[in-house]
Amino acid sequence: MSSSTQGTTLSTNVVGLVDGSSASHREVSVFDGLPIYVKELIAGGAAGAFAKTAVAPLERVKILLQTRTEGYHSLGVHQSLKKLLKNEGVIGFYKGNGASVLRIVPYAALHYMTYERYRGWILENYSALGTGPVVDLLAGSASGGTAVLCTYPLDLARTKLAYQVKGTRGNGSRATHIGPQYSGTKNVLEAVYKEGGLRALYRGVGPTLIGILPYAGLKFYVYEELKRHVPEEHQSSIMMRLSCGAIAGLLGQTFTYPLDVVRRQMQVEHLRPSLQDRARYRSTFDGLSSIVRNQGWRQLFAGLSVNYMKIVPSVAIGFTAYDTMKAYLNVPPRQKLKSVSAA
């Protein structure tokens, strides 16, 4: 009974802070019986979907630049957006976004939830590490790897759909498709599995894991370390969280971006006529050295400016949506989780 009473009291307090209405409490009371980890899954998934859709046009351009797609590799961000709009319309900005959202919902949900679980497990079993950002580094890396392994085939499908473009021939009035055409996520997964089985669905997962482990770890490490230097009275500020998160995301992306380029090229290399007569990348290191040798070192950072442009709003929207969803679902702050669980 005391657990139920505390849960109801906490629920009332959180909702009261958001809008001060008892009616809102009645609306969300259906979630009060859910375990905290389920609420974290829901909040993380929703935040990921909102953030990914908001930056979908920039994500599409980034992939086209990374994979040196015909007609786009020599264009800048603005010109690429204009060309996409002219050839494919507004819907072209969101090609592959369905697969992206389908991937990001379970990815973000797992990433946030498993981060909390891994963090709690490390604190409980390895107290010698303390409670500082090193724990966040390890928990963030582990949660990032877990989320990637569970959702990688969907990321592969998203990349292949985004890689499809329309070109023009003759007088420029007739649109033609460049490369194989897929009708949707299911079609991509079926075609890839038929071509090479389960192994093909995870092509490029090596550089993805090598990239995500330090990126996810650094993101949480920098975020928590920055928060340690924020005065106590500003700890709950949304703007503070957005600023710290954006800086953490920018630093993490800069250090691991070349691995993302290798991953994208490995995912689509068999679709490019220019590579059909050349051996495919045998490993992540082979991919890095081959890109530097054949395309120049600058290619390792192709699309990075677009990534910078999208990561700030993406992190901002993601953090805001996550915090809003946690308040809506009555998820207590991390420092109160132990007392709530114990009760």
Side-chain angles (χ1 to χ4, degrees):
M1 288 295 292
S2 68
S3 176
S4 175
T5 302
Q6 279 196 323
T8 302
T9 302
L10 178 59
S11 174
T12 304
N13 290 341
V14 172
V15 175
L17 287 173
V18 175
D19 60 13
S21 78
S22 59
S24 291
H25 175 246
R26 287 194 295 272
E27 282 182 24
V28 301
S29 61
V30 66
F31 298 108
D32 288 349
L34 294 176
I36 290 175
Y37 76 88
V38 174
K39 295 179 181 181
E40 290 169 346
L41 284 170
I42 296 172
F50 292 145
K52 184 62 70 173
T53 300
V55 299
L58 293 173
E59 180 70 16
R60 176 89 197 277
V61 169
K62 185 193 78 168
I63 290 177
L64 295 177
L65 292 175
Q66 284 182 326
T67 55
R68 295 176 64 84
T69 304
E70 181 180 343
Y72 288 87
H73 66 277
S74 61
L75 299 179
V77 176
H78 181 63
Q79 291 300 318
S80 295
L81 288 170
K82 286 177 61 177
K83 185 170 183 176
L84 271 176
L85 181 62
K86 179 181 178 181
N87 291 343
E88 303 182 27
V90 174
I91 196 172
F93 291 149
Y94 296 92
K95 181 178 287 186
N97 188 58
S100 185
V101 170
L102 187 63
R103 178 195 71 91
I104 205 63
V105 168
Y107 176 86
L110 285 169
H111 195 22
Y112 281 111
M113 188 277 289
T114 56
Y115 163 74
E116 299 290 354
R117 302 309 115 192
Y118 284 134
R119 188 178 190 278
W121 181 80
I122 293 173
L123 289 174
E124 183 177 342
N125 294 279
Y126 297 93
S127 56
L129 293 174
T131 59
V134 172
V135 175
D136 297 297
L137 177 68
L138 296 174
S141 296
S143 63
T146 300
V148 163
L149 288 174
C150 292
T151 61
Y152 186 79
L154 294 173
D155 181 62
L156 179 73
R158 184 273 300 259
T159 299
K160 289 182 180 296
L161 288 170
Y163 180 72
Q164 294 179 156
V165 295
K166 291 180 180 179
T168 57
R169 288 183 178 175
N171 57 12
S173 61
R174 184 181 178 183
T176 59
H177 290 282
I178 299 174
Q181 296 301 303
Y182 299 106
S183 59
T185 303
K186 182 181 178 181
N187 179 233
V188 174
L189 296 176
E190 289 176 343
V192 172
Y193 184 78
K194 184 177 180 180
E195 176 192 339
L198 187 63
R199 185 186 182 92
L201 289 174
Y202 279 86
R203 178 160 184 76
V205 74
T208 302
L209 284 174
I210 294 174
I212 199 63
L213 293 178
Y215 170 69
L218 281 171
K219 184 172 65 174
F220 281 106
Y221 177 93
V222 174
Y223 180 65
E224 294 299 331
E225 183 64 20
L226 288 173
K227 285 174 60 179
R228 287 163 60 109
H229 298 283
V230 175
E232 185 65 30
E233 62 268 23
H234 298 299
Q235 281 290 326
S236 61
S237 167
I238 292 296
M239 286 305 299
M240 180 279 298
R241 294 175 181 172
L242 296 179
S243 300
C244 292
I247 294 172
L250 287 171
L251 291 176
Q253 274 293 298
T254 301
F255 289 121
T256 61
Y257 192 78
L259 295 169
D260 192 44
V261 174
V262 175
R263 168 174 63 117
R264 297 298 184 195
Q265 293 208 9
M266 289 181 74
Q267 288 176 336
V268 303
E269 61 183 355
H270 72 287
L271 301 178
R272 298 167 61 186
S274 61
L275 292 180
Q276 287 181 353
D277 298 326
R278 193 164 65 199
R280 297 182 181 181
Y281 301 145
R282 296 183 298 274
S283 64
T284 302
F285 180 76
D286 180 52
L288 287 169
S289 58
S290 294
I291 289 174
V292 172
R293 184 171 58 253
N294 298 319
Q295 303 170 28
W297 67 268
R298 292 180 183 275
Q299 181 59 30
L300 292 176
F301 296 91
L304 181 58
S305 61
V306 189
N307 224 41
Y308 283 152
M309 290 171 61
K310 81 179 183 67
I311 218 157
V312 172
S314 178
V315 170
I317 295 168
F319 270 87
T320 302
Y322 184 61
D323 286 338
T324 302
M325 286 299 297
K326 285 202 299 182
Y328 181 77
L329 297 171
N330 305 322
V331 177
R334 184 187 296 168
Q335 57 267 31
K336 295 184 180 179
L337 288 177
K338 287 188 177 180
S339 60
V340 172
S341 299

